[in-house]
Amino acid sequence: MGLLYGLIAVGLALIFGLMDVTNFAHGEFLMIAMYLSFFLFAFFAIDPLLSAPLVAAALFIFGAVVYLLIVRFAMRAKANAGMVQIFTTFGLAIVMRGLAQYFFTPDYRSIPQSWLGGKTISIAGIFLPEPQLVGALVSIAAFAGLYFFIHRTDFGRALEATREDPGAVALVGIDKNRVFAFGWGLGAALVGLAGAIMAVFFYIYPDVGASFALIAYVTVALGGFGSVFGAFAGGIIVGLVEATTALVLPPSLKSVGIYAVYLLVVFIRPRGLFGSI
Amino acid sequence: MDKEFAARRRRDLIIAAVLAGIAALTPLFVKDVVVQNILILTLMYAGLSQSWNILSGYCGQISLGHALYFGLGAYTTELLFTKFGVLPWFGMLAGGVVSALIAMGLGYPFFRLRGHYFVIATIVIAEIGLLLFHNWDWAGAAMGITIPIRGDSWLKFQFLRTKLPYFYFALALCCLAWFVTWWLEDSKWGFWWRAVKDNPDAAESLGVDVFNSKMGAAAVSAFLVAVGGSFYAQFVSYIDPESVMGFQFSLLMALPAVLGGIGTLWGPVLGAAILIPLTELTRFKFGGSGRGVDLIVYGTLIVLISLALPRGLLSLFARPKKTGAAR
């Protein structure tokens, strides 16, 4: 579970952490991905595992379009840029939730029979549910890929440079909007991947994103803004803390443990565990 | 303080008095209960947003967790009322004090944080409060508290036949929050807050007590918001954790101020006067279908307004500043 939180969070880490743009619609990106995965299954009988790349690709386009149509203008705001970003993305989240209610109805849906659903695998006597296991593996692969991408490729460097000094970047011929649109697309694609996997074992409904979004922010902040590895570590910590809290406290309080750990961490290290900004 | 500033402050006070007078007379002409309801909510959110603006606008510490204080105000009042029979008036005061103390207690560690880390911490603490109340059986847990009807009087602050007293209380609350802001704007605190907002490090080096001025702003802000929460609880006469401490309240307090002009005296009032009727009307017009049309309209409005007017509606009225002239 922790790795899945990590996967949701890493998309946000890319947007929120590396580009320093608040995205309050991140949970809704997840929701859209889950619905896409559901409909691909319901109408074309494509298993979520197979459709995951399709969903990720669709979300990539969606993320880039959202950036070009909305966020680009929010970032241009001359005064209280932070608030403008918070409220435009929050407004977007409300619209997306409304649209989902309108078109998909507020009913709870789930994918009944997929390749992985409900199966467990036994490794050295420990039974693990298969979907979560696959999710974990995909997460690790995605993290490794992203880490490599940010630190070893020209694009990753361009992204970091653009955040640090858009003016200077423009001087050396990098189109800021192109870089950021690509970054948003990538962030959305990652959350799309997470959504596709989660669609297998979670109920799908218009408000589903809200419950994961806050945990994703906490995960990113816990790891520290500006760090991919931080989001990964944050995800694992959040997963472990949640599991431990569930043992001690009633299940409805399991998120309290996560929040408490966040507060504790930032009081000791005001920039998160691995934060650079 | 130069003359221009003093003149502006006098003018603000007169405008406020006139507006309050007009507002006080509206119930004479507006008999429709639905409209009265909207007016009450508008005044309440104007007051709440004004209070939020003290900490987040003037002092620059963006809090998205003020729902915590709203909920604490509501719960303190109602727990005292239902369990111990304490009159809501005292409950209101108690709620305010409890919230102010908690705000200061939280401020102690929180104000070391900056930027996103601070904002997320405020969201998280409100969420913890929400979850705790959800699981606190004595306080009704997820079922909440239904406020019993014990009378129809100002003494009990319960009115069965008419909404008018609620209207006047909401108006008074809004005026109080405005007046406190007006008064603090020109005090030592007001200047400190603006300094802290603009550049905390420079302010510190010039002898501003940054930490304590943040604490002061948090306490005043939390107190007023909690009084608003107490009022809301009496007004709707049923509370549960989600309906008084949910994240949406934190946003609904922030939105009018942001919309009208954050960190300004008139921004929250103006923002609430436009936003809340719009919200309520879209809900009224499109909400019944349960198909989310109200959400679509509302969300689109927020996106468009915050994109079009990043400095708030007040920036439309601002005269171009004379260069070189001292403000």
Side-chain angles (χ1 to χ4, degrees), chain A residues 177-257:
Chain A
N177 280 328
R178 247 229 219 97
V179 171
F180 271 19
F182 194 79
W184 267 76
L186 204 60
L190 285 169
V191 78
L193 214 54
I197 295 164
M198 285 173 52
V200 179
F201 57 95
F202 261 96
Y203 284 110
I204 305 164
Y205 52 99
D207 288 347
V208 68
S211 42
F212 291 101
L214 184 59
I215 292 181
Y217 300 124
V218 171
T219 309
V220 174
L222 188 67
F225 291 105
S227 161
V228 175
F229 180 71
F232 184 62
I236 294 173
I237 294 172
V238 163
L240 288 176
V241 169
E242 190 190 60
T244 329
T245 329
L247 292 177
V248 190
L249 293 170
S252 52
L253 280 174
K254 65 181 181 184
S255 315
V256 170

Side-chain angles (χ1 to χ4, degrees), chain B residues 229-294:
Chain B
S230 305
F231 162 77
Y232 184 75
Q234 289 296 118
F235 176 53
V236 296
S237 69
Y238 167 73
I239 57 171
D240 64 38
E242 208 52 62
S243 76
V244 289
M245 224 182 253
F247 180 58
Q248 75 271 18
F249 278 104
S250 299
L251 282 163
L252 276 173
M253 278 176 234
L255 259 176
V258 175
L259 179 63
I262 188 171
T264 60
L265 185 56
W266 289 102
V269 178
L270 183 67
I274 293 166
L275 187 75
I276 305 302
L278 261 177
T279 315
E280 294 299 317
L281 285 176
T282 45
R283 191 179 303 162
F284 190 66
K285 276 249 185 326
F286 306 106
S289 60
R291 304 206 56 188
V293 181
D294 55 331

Side-chain angles (χ1 to χ4, degrees), chain B residues 37-51:
Chain B
N37 214 12
I38 294 178
L39 288 176
I40 293 171
L41 286 176
T42 306
L43 287 169
M44 184 187 85
Y45 279 114
L48 289 174
S49 190
Q50 198 90 47
S51 322

Side-chain angles (χ1 to χ4, degrees), chain A residues 58-72 181 184-185:
Chain A
L59 263 284
F60 180 92
I61 296 168
F62 184 71
V65 168
V66 164
Y67 172 79
L68 290 174
L69 286 184
I70 298 174
V71 180
R72 182 155 62 112
W184 267 76

Side-chain angles (χ1 to χ4, degrees), chain B residues 14 16 24 56 67 72 74 94 127 129-130 154 158 180 235 295:
Chain B
I14 295 167
S56 298
L72 279 175
E127 208 64 21
L130 176 69
W154 277 102
Q158 284 186 327
V180 169
F235 176 53
L295 294 181

Side-chain angles (χ1 to χ4, degrees), chain B residues 4-306:
Chain B
E4 203 183 320
F5 184 71
R8 184 177 70 79
R9 283 178 56 78
R10 260 197 308 280
R11 201 189 60 215
D12 282 339
L13 196 59
I14 295 167
I15 295 175
V18 172
L19 283 181
I22 295 172
L25 292 176
T26 42
L28 292 179
F29 310 105
V30 180
K31 300 285 183 208
D32 187 46
V33 182
V34 178
V35 181
Q36 282 186 356
N37 214 12
I38 294 178
L39 288 176
I40 293 171
L41 286 176
T42 306
L43 287 169
M44 184 187 85
Y45 279 114
L48 289 174
S49 190
Q50 198 90 47
S51 322
W52 177 86
N53 196 30
I54 292 174
L55 177 63
S56 298
Y58 281 92
C59 195
Q61 306 300 308
I62 304 290
S63 157
L64 288 180
H66 262 46
L68 177 68
Y69 307 127
F70 189 77
L72 279 175
Y75 264 101
T76 312
T77 309
E78 298 317 335
L79 284 174
L80 285 174
F81 187 52
T82 53
K83 308 272 178 184
F84 304 109
V86 179
L87 289 178
W89 294 103
F90 298 110
M92 219 172 251
L93 215 60
V97 172
V98 167
S99 288
L101 287 177
I102 287 186
M104 288 169 75
L106 291 175
Y108 205 75
F110 274 37
F111 285 138
R112 291 175 51 217
L113 305 175
R114 283 188 182 181
H116 295 314
Y117 295 103
F118 178 80
V119 179
I120 292 178
T122 60
I123 300 177
V124 158
I125 198 74
E127 208 64 21
I128 291 181
L130 176 69
L131 288 171
L132 289 181
F133 271 99
H134 246 292
N135 288 277
W136 189 11
D137 290 328
W138 187 70
M143 297 290 290
I145 304 174
T146 308
I147 290 121
I149 290 151
R150 300 245 171 97
D152 185 6
S153 66
W154 277 102
L155 182 68
K156 299 267 165 65
F157 201 62
Q158 284 186 327
F159 309 97
L160 309 178
R161 284 182 292 276
T162 166
K163 281 176 185 281
L164 279 189
Y166 292 121
F167 175 84
Y168 285 112
F169 186 86
L171 179 62
L173 179 69
C174 177
C175 290
L176 175 72
W178 186 90
F179 186 75
V180 169
T181 313
W182 179 83
W183 178 56
L184 286 171
E185 207 181 39
D186 190 30
S187 71
K188 180 180 76 180
W189 289 97
F191 288 97
W192 280 8
W193 289 340
R194 285 189 287 264
V196 169
K197 177 187 183 175
D198 289 340
N199 189 340
D201 300 322
E204 185 94 65
S205 74
L206 290 171
V208 173
D209 190 339
V210 171
F211 183 74
N212 278 329
S213 57
K214 286 178 182 174
M215 287 290 237
V220 174
S221 185
F223 182 92
L224 289 169
V225 166
V227 172
S230 305
F231 162 77
Y232 184 75
Q234 289 296 118
F235 176 53
V236 296
S237 69
Y238 167 73
I239 57 171
D240 64 38
E242 208 52 62
S243 76
V244 289
M245 224 182 253
F247 180 58
Q248 75 271 18
F249 278 104
S250 299
L251 282 163
L252 276 173
M253 278 176 234
L255 259 176
V258 175
L259 179 63
I262 188 171
T264 60
L265 185 56
W266 289 102
V269 178
L270 183 67
I274 293 166
L275 187 75
I276 305 302
L278 261 177
T279 315
E280 294 299 317
L281 285 176
T282 45
R283 191 179 303 162
F284 190 66
K285 276 249 185 326
F286 306 106
S289 60
R291 304 206 56 188
V293 181
D294 55 331
L295 294 181
I296 300 174
V297 175
Y298 181 53
T300 313
L301 278 172
I302 296 177
V303 173
L304 289 180
I305 295 173
S306 43

